[in-house]
Amino acid sequence: MKYIVFDLEFNQGFSNTAIDEEDIALNKKVLYPFEIIQIGAIKLDADYNTISIFNRFIKPTIYTKVSTFVTELTGITTEQLLAEETFPNVYKAFLAFIEDTNSIFCTWGMSDIKELFRNTKYHQLNYSYLPSRYINIQPYASLHFGLPSKKLLRLQAAVESLNIPIKQTFHDALSDAYYTSEIFKKIHHSFMEPKTYDPEEKCAARPIKPKKVIDVEGLIKQFEKMYNREFTEEEKGIILLAYKMGKTHQFLHLL
C-alpha cells in the first residue's frame, strides 16, 4: 500500500480569458472548474517513508491567461506555462507516477481531490484509473491539537505548530504536498481510516437544523440546586454570561 500526498494550484475566473458568451452558452451544462496549472505529489510507502516525488506545471486551455491574483499568490505566470504540456498529457504522467489504484490519496482539505476529478471529467478523460480512497488530513490535524474537527487549521499554522522546518514557500503545489506529507508522518494514527470518494455522488440538501436556545430557567435552577439557595438577579446574569462565554471556547488553550 502506498500513499499519494498531493496538492494542486489552480487558475480561475473569467476575467483575462478567451472564453466568450457563446462558449458559455454552448457549455452551460458544464461547470467550469478551477483549472489545474500545477500538480505536486509525494509518494509514501506503507511505513510513511518518502519514495518518490512528482512536480509538473500545466499549460492552461480553459483560462488561457493566469489571473493576477493567482500569480501574486503562487508566483506562476502565463509566460511560464506556455511551454508546458496540457492537462491530458500531464494527467497520463501523473497516473504513471501513482502506478496503483489501490494507493490512497492524502490531501489537505477536500478541494484538491474534487477539482482533480472535475478537471479529469472536463477533459473527457477516464478517472477510474485514479485511486478512489482518500484521507483528508486537515481535520485530523485539528483533532491532534485537541480542537474540534470542524475548526480547520491552515497548512502553515499546522506546520509551525508541529515544529516542521519551513524550507520552502507555501502556495506551491510540490511544497504544500511536502508539508502535508510531513504533517501526515507526525500525526498518522490507526483511526485515520481512508474514505471512498465518489465523483458522481450528488450532494444531498442539508436538513435545516432547529435553532437552539438556552434554557435559562433550567440553567439557573440547576445552579440553585447545586448551591442549595436562590440566586440574585445579578448572580443569574453572571451565570448566564459565563455560560455564553464558555461556549465560544475563547479561553481554551493548548497544553
Side-chain angles (χ1 to χ4, degrees):
M1 179 179 64
K2 295 181 177 63
Y3 300 96
I4 307 297
V5 187
F6 78 93
D7 187 86
L8 307 173
E9 296 299 335
F10 310 108
N11 190 25
Q12 56 186 296
F14 288 103
S15 61
N16 301 328
T17 70
I19 294 179
D20 57 25
E21 293 183 1
E22 183 178 358
D23 292 323
I24 297 172
L26 291 173
N27 293 279
K28 60 184 179 181
K29 293 184 179 180
V30 177
L31 292 175
Y32 283 93
F34 289 95
E35 185 172 18
I36 299 171
I37 54 176
Q38 185 188 11
I39 302 176
I42 307 290
K43 185 187 293 186
L44 307 178
D45 63 19
D47 296 318
Y48 310 100
N49 299 306
T50 299
I51 54 179
S52 58
I53 65 173
F54 181 91
N55 186 32
R56 291 287 299 272
F57 291 93
I58 299 169
K59 181 180 180 179
T61 56
I62 303 174
Y63 309 127
T64 54
K65 293 183 180 180
V66 178
S67 73
T68 302
F69 170 78
V70 171
T71 296
E72 291 176 350
L73 183 67
T74 67
I76 300 173
T77 65
T78 301
E79 292 71 25
Q80 176 185 345
L81 301 179
L82 293 178
E84 302 294 338
E85 294 187 283
T86 57
F87 183 82
N89 289 332
V90 176
Y91 176 69
K92 292 177 183 177
F94 188 45
L95 292 180
F97 169 79
I98 294 170
E99 293 185 296
D100 188 355
T101 56
N102 289 321
S103 297
I104 298 172
F105 273 149
C106 296
T107 59
W108 188 261
M110 288 299 298
S111 61
D112 285 350
I113 191 168
K114 289 179 180 178
E115 294 306 329
L116 176 61
F117 277 88
R118 288 181 68 200
N119 274 249
T120 303
K121 184 176 182 179
Y122 176 85
H123 287 281
Q124 299 180 341
L125 302 171
N126 189 345
Y127 53 65
S128 66
Y129 297 121
L130 292 170
S132 59
R133 294 187 299 162
Y134 73 94
I135 297 174
N136 177 8
I137 297 171
Q138 190 176 28
Y140 288 111
S142 297
L143 293 175
H144 178 81
F145 291 110
L147 301 172
S149 59
K150 292 184 179 180
K151 186 175 179 61
L152 300 176
L153 295 171
R154 294 183 300 107
L155 180 62
Q156 185 170 349
V159 167
E160 292 171 348
S161 297
L162 289 167
N163 297 314
I164 296 172
I166 298 178
K167 300 179 180 179
Q168 307 168 53
T169 59
F170 291 89
H171 300 298
D172 169 83
L174 181 58
S175 296
D176 289 353
Y178 164 76
Y179 288 127
T180 302
S181 69
E182 291 301 300
I183 293 171
F184 186 41
K185 291 176 183 180
K186 283 182 173 286
I187 70 172
H188 67 82
H189 194 279
S190 59
F191 65 72
M192 297 173 70
E193 288 289 332
K195 298 179 181 179
T196 300
Y197 182 73
D198 180 3
E200 299 299 331
E201 183 178 359
K202 302 296 182 182
C203 295
R206 294 184 179 181
I208 299 175
K209 295 182 179 180
K211 184 178 180 180
K212 295 181 179 181
V213 296
I214 300 174
D215 181 2
V216 178
E217 182 179 356
L219 177 65
I220 299 302
K221 282 185 177 180
Q222 180 62 32
F223 271 87
E224 289 180 334
K225 181 179 179 180
M226 291 168 59
Y227 287 91
N228 195 29
R229 70 175 179 86
E230 291 187 5
F231 286 172
T232 66
E233 291 302 315
E234 182 180 4
E235 289 174 325
K236 292 177 182 178
I238 292 173
I239 291 172
L240 181 58
L241 178 60
Y243 181 80
K244 290 180 178 179
M245 292 176 68
K247 292 187 70 177
T248 67
H249 304 294
Q250 60 181 307
F251 298 109
L252 292 178
H253 298 284
L254 297 175
L255 298 178

